[in-house]
Amino acid sequence: MTIPPLTVVVLAAGEGRRMRSDTPKVLHPVGGEPMVGRVLDAANQLHPQSIDVVYGHAGGVVQSVVSEFYEDLPLRWVHQAEQLGTGHAVAQALPAVPDDHQVVVLCADVPLIRVKTLRRLVEAAADGVSVLTVEVNDPAGYGRILRNAAGQITGIVEEKDATEEQRAIREINTGVLCLPARHLRVWLDNLDAGNAQGELYLTDCIGQARLSRVPVSSVVCTDPSEVQGVNDRAQLGAVERTWQQRQAQTLMRDHGLGLSDPARFDLRGHLEVGRDCHIDVDVLIEGDVVLGDGVRIGPFCRIQDSHIAAGTELLGHCEIEDSHIGADCRIGPFARLRPGTRMAEGARIGNFVETKQTEIGAGSKINHLSYVGDAQLGAAVNVGAGTITCNYDGRKKHRTRIGDGVFVGSNSALVAPLSIGNNAVIGAGTTVRDDVADDTLAVDDRRPRQIPGWRSGSPEE
Ligand code: UD1
Ligand code: CA
């Protein structure tokens, strides 16, 4: 069927007082993105001509966050000065909506709605009205769907206005509706606030549609988790879990990712995986992360905005940020790779090693207890335990260059700026202040003094 031109109206004017937060409710993150952003993403996938965001409370902050992160969307900002109800909110947007549009109403605090569900809703509406409904065990607080003997929707009654009998209905209004603009305009004009909450209810348009003989259909949402709303932090936590489960399922089912425990995996961003990748428990992935074929991630790791090539293994408790790891590397446990770390094929970083803005050549090893920052290491370098690049003189950062095949003995201090030639050897415990030529040994050979009988004698003697 041909989809009519669409306007999506996103309701976001509510104050969100129950969040008990200074941050506007719709900016609280779900999967690392503000929840309103998730709704806008889904809305945008319908290819509407306009996405009208109705804002009220803290609109400035919401606008600046949304405009920064979602700049390509056909957004229009609509101010609702006073929150007089959902009907009043939609009415603020309507003057700018062309008559031939279908209007899809979404709530900014129902962030898990899927675009395929919205498409079903738009198709079901044709040029009439459609309502997204769901059957729940506990309908408390929601508008109930009223149907006649033929099963057609005749109206929606809000809980506070409902009779005992109506309250027993378990089919509820999700708050997501699709309505024809030219009729909606008239129906919204006719709304009155003669109800228990003294509000202008958008849901009263359903009764009016029946009176004006505009067909009303419904789409039952098969996955109730899509229409979970967020009013307080507990519901936000529940929505976050649903989102994480959904991502874990997709990654396992559609991309073949192995997860030791899908309930202990968090993705706040985008993860691309090759074949036969495996992630152990309690791993957090943030930003854009790519894992090549056969990458294995140990337990309790956090990886952010990084690329890890095929066959590499990360042992437990590693932090990796803005880094590029080559194939067949081994890292950890307990390693911290800070931004700008690049490891070539087969390199190794072991426990309690910190790197930053550092290139590590193929097959090179920094296996224990080191800080290597602002450095460039050639191939087949061995950095001994406790080696420190002294990259900062209190004012400026300086670089350390280490050639191929260099052996750095344990507990060496490499005072930058410094250049160490190919195949040089640094003796253990050396503070290297001057450049070292190829094939040269740099060693601090001052021997410690030894004073026999020290403990038994008197220090004054
Ligand atoms: C609404 C529906 C109810 C449905 C429920 C689903 C009405 C009258 N009722 O009830 O049938 O079961 O959603 O969650 O529509 N908003 C504004 N401006 C306003 C009032 C609300 O922008 O003046 C926004 C809120 O920020 C929220 C959304 O509209 O995003 C829904 O408002 P809310 O007051 O939460 O509606 P409910 O009473 O839950
Ligand atoms: Ca309300």
Side-chain angles (χ1 to χ4, degrees):
M1 69 162 279
T2 53
I3 300 271
L6 295 178
T7 293
V8 178
V9 176
V10 178
L11 302 184
E15 201 176 329
R17 214 174 301 136
R18 280 174 284 171
M19 294 295 285
R20 298 174 187 274
S21 169
D22 293 334
T23 303
K25 173 162 81 178
V26 298
L27 294 185
H28 281 263
V30 171
E33 246 185 65
M35 67 175 103
V36 64
R38 300 239 165 262
V39 177
L40 296 177
D41 273 346
N44 195 43
Q45 287 178 62
L46 287 174
H47 306 296
Q49 291 192 0
S50 177
I51 302 175
D52 297 358
V53 184
V54 182
Y55 69 97
H57 192 70
V61 191
V62 177
Q63 272 186 54
S64 65
V65 171
V66 168
S67 317
E68 184 178 341
F69 289 99
Y70 306 91
E71 49 186 342
D72 306 333
L73 304 185
L75 287 182
R76 191 159 61 191
W77 292 91
V78 178
H79 189 229
Q80 185 193 22
E82 263 188 294
Q83 277 73 71
L84 303 177
T86 49
H88 181 258
V90 175
Q92 308 310 299
L94 226 61
V97 181
D99 260 341
D100 63 337
H101 276 214
Q102 283 290 89
V103 177
V104 176
V105 180
L106 302 179
C107 293
D109 57 2
V110 182
L112 301 187
I113 191 80
R114 284 190 173 97
V115 66
K116 68 175 186 201
T117 304
L118 297 179
R119 284 200 195 103
R120 282 173 61 211
L121 185 77
V122 171
E123 279 168 19
D127 50 9
V129 173
S130 60
V131 185
L132 184 66
T133 74
V134 68
E135 284 226 19
V136 290
N137 289 328
D138 177 13
Y142 291 104
R144 309 296 205 278
I145 302 293
L146 308 179
R147 292 181 184 269
N148 62 19
Q152 295 160 317
I153 296 193
T154 55
I156 299 174
V157 61
E158 292 306 300
E159 165 147 309
K160 290 189 173 135
D161 303 293
T163 62
E164 248 347 273
E165 212 175 305
Q166 289 168 332
R167 283 185 194 191
I169 297 170
R170 292 195 300 118
E171 188 186 10
I172 58 132
N173 170 30
T174 61
V176 178
L177 301 98
C178 179
L179 316 102
R182 65 180 189 285
H183 293 298
L184 182 56
R185 221 184 291 291
V186 180
W187 300 334
L188 291 173
D189 264 350
N190 290 343
L191 291 182
D192 71 78
N195 52 54
Q197 301 187 84
E199 287 181 7
L200 299 171
Y201 289 165
L202 177 63
T203 43
D204 283 350
C205 292
I206 304 303
Q208 293 201 54
R210 290 286 297 174
L211 294 175
S212 12
R213 300 188 176 282
V214 172
V216 178
S217 53
S218 64
V219 167
V220 180
C221 190
T222 43
D223 176 3
S225 79
E226 272 187 63
V227 292
Q228 266 180 289
V230 176
N231 292 309
D232 58 30
R233 301 252 193 186
Q235 288 173 330
L236 178 62
V239 160
E240 177 73 24
R241 280 307 100 207
T242 302
W243 175 251
Q244 294 301 344
Q245 268 170 27
R246 199 192 268 186
Q247 294 185 115
Q249 295 301 320
T250 306
L251 283 163
M252 291 189 293
R253 207 176 289 141
D254 302 348
H255 303 272
L257 173 66
L259 286 173
S260 294
D261 183 356
R264 282 189 284 166
F265 165 74
D266 282 79
L267 170 56
R268 302 181 192 149
H270 303 276
L271 174 63
E272 199 184 307
V273 294
R275 286 180 82 80
D276 292 307
C277 289
H278 190 271
I279 297 183
D280 212 323
V281 299
D282 291 319
V283 168
L284 170 58
I285 307 281
E286 294 185 291
D288 290 308
V289 172
V290 179
L291 306 182
D293 293 346
V295 168
R296 301 183 70 80
I297 311 287
F300 312 109
C301 290
R302 189 181 76 89
I303 307 169
Q304 184 183 331
D305 294 313
S306 293
H307 189 290
I308 302 180
T312 285
E313 184 173 13
L314 222 74
L315 303 176
H317 297 275
C318 291
E319 283 265 334
I320 313 267
E321 207 181 318
D322 263 316
S323 293
H324 199 284
I325 319 291
D328 301 317
C329 291
R330 207 166 82 200
I331 302 170
F334 298 99
R336 180 173 183 212
L337 276 56
R338 290 170 53 203
T341 299
R342 297 182 72 87
M343 291 173 74
E345 198 175 315
R348 299 211 166 167
I349 288 184
N351 42 209
F352 309 109
V353 171
E354 175 183 348
T355 61
K356 186 214 75 175
Q357 293 294 345
T358 285
E359 265 178 56
I360 299 162
S364 290
K365 298 174 189 162
I366 314 172
N367 273 336
H368 331 265
L369 295 154
S370 290
Y371 170 62
V372 181
D374 300 310
Q376 189 176 345
L377 280 65
V381 171
N382 190 353
V383 175
T387 296
I388 306 291
T389 53
C390 309
N391 59 331
Y392 186 49
D393 60 13
R395 287 183 304 151
K396 274 186 168 173
K397 301 281 169 67
H398 302 281
R399 292 194 66 79
T400 300
R401 283 188 191 78
I402 299 178
D404 294 336
V406 169
F407 182 94
V408 180
S410 295
N411 202 31
S412 295
L414 309 178
V415 183
L418 185 69
S419 177
I420 298 176
N422 294 336
N423 300 312
V425 175
I426 311 299
T430 303
T431 298
V432 187
R433 299 177 187 279
D434 303 312
D435 288 355
V436 180
D438 290 357
D439 302 307
T440 300
L441 168 69
V443 62
D444 184 347
D445 53 6
R446 284 171 301 173
R447 301 287 151 173
R449 243 186 348 139
Q450 297 196 10
I451 305 172
W454 178 258
R455 303 277 314 251
S456 50
S458 143
E460 264 80 31
E461 276 168 28

